[in-house]
Amino acid sequence: MTRLFTATKVGAYTLKHRVVLAPMTRVRTLQPGDIPSPMMADFYGQRASDGGLEIIEAASISAQARSYLGAASIYHDGQHEGWQAIADAVHAKGGHAFLQLIHGGRQSHVDVTGGADPVAPSVVPFDGVALTKDGFVPASPHRALEVGEIAEIVADFRRAAERAKQAGFDGVELHAANGYLVDQFIQDG
């Protein structure tokens, strides 16, 4: 237990302890527009600690990247103030805030992607669900990405990281698990 409360380095940052808030999708944005809500700033501010680290919930990097209605996004200017309020709330307590970035890939529905078909590395059977205005529904059929589209998704991640930096975040984390797009590229099935 004593090691839990000792300092450690994470990249350029020295944390005063090793208690880190892991990212969790909260589905608490203001709609329409996936705008981070004051409730989200309160939530993260309440959990911040001096010299601690919070990895803020996965934020979609584009409209096409969205997986769930109400989940966080960071791809348009109207979201900036909400993200800035969250980073400020964590910093006010002396904490560090990283924003997790995500592309949902095939784990989505046309109702949340703005009508675009979900995309994936390839077309394979998939029985996932997505949260829409009608509740949880089966994911929409997906299509395979064209090779040329991959560079645009990489650019979306870069733009989202730049937006996170402008909002005051100390860093970003790439969500590469749980069956979302990056993980879909890694899996062999």
Side-chain angles (χ1 to χ4, degrees), residues 63-144:
Q64 179 198 51
R66 297 172 73 216
S67 288
Y68 304 105
L69 180 67
S73 293
I74 186 164
Y75 62 87
H76 66 74
D77 292 342
Q79 298 159 334
H80 177 81
E81 286 183 28
W83 287 121
Q84 187 172 30
I86 291 168
D88 289 349
V90 174
H91 293 149
K93 290 199 177 168
H96 303 284
F98 281 37
L99 182 62
Q100 188 181 61
L101 304 178
I102 189 171
H103 189 301
R106 69 173 61 98
Q107 191 164 310
S108 192
H109 192 276
V110 294
D111 285 354
V112 295
T113 61
D117 289 334
V119 296
S122 60
V123 176
V124 296
F126 180 66
D127 294 324
V129 296
L131 179 61
T132 71
K133 63 180 174 38
D134 298 318
F136 282 99
V137 300
S140 292
H142 58 280
R143 66 172 179 82

Side-chain angles (χ1 to χ4, degrees), residues 9-27:
K9 294 260 310 169
V10 174
Y13 299 99
T14 299
L15 306 182
K16 293 183 180 179
H17 55 79
R18 298 164 188 237
V19 179
V20 175
L21 179 70
M24 301 171 281
T25 301
R26 308 295 305 163
V27 190

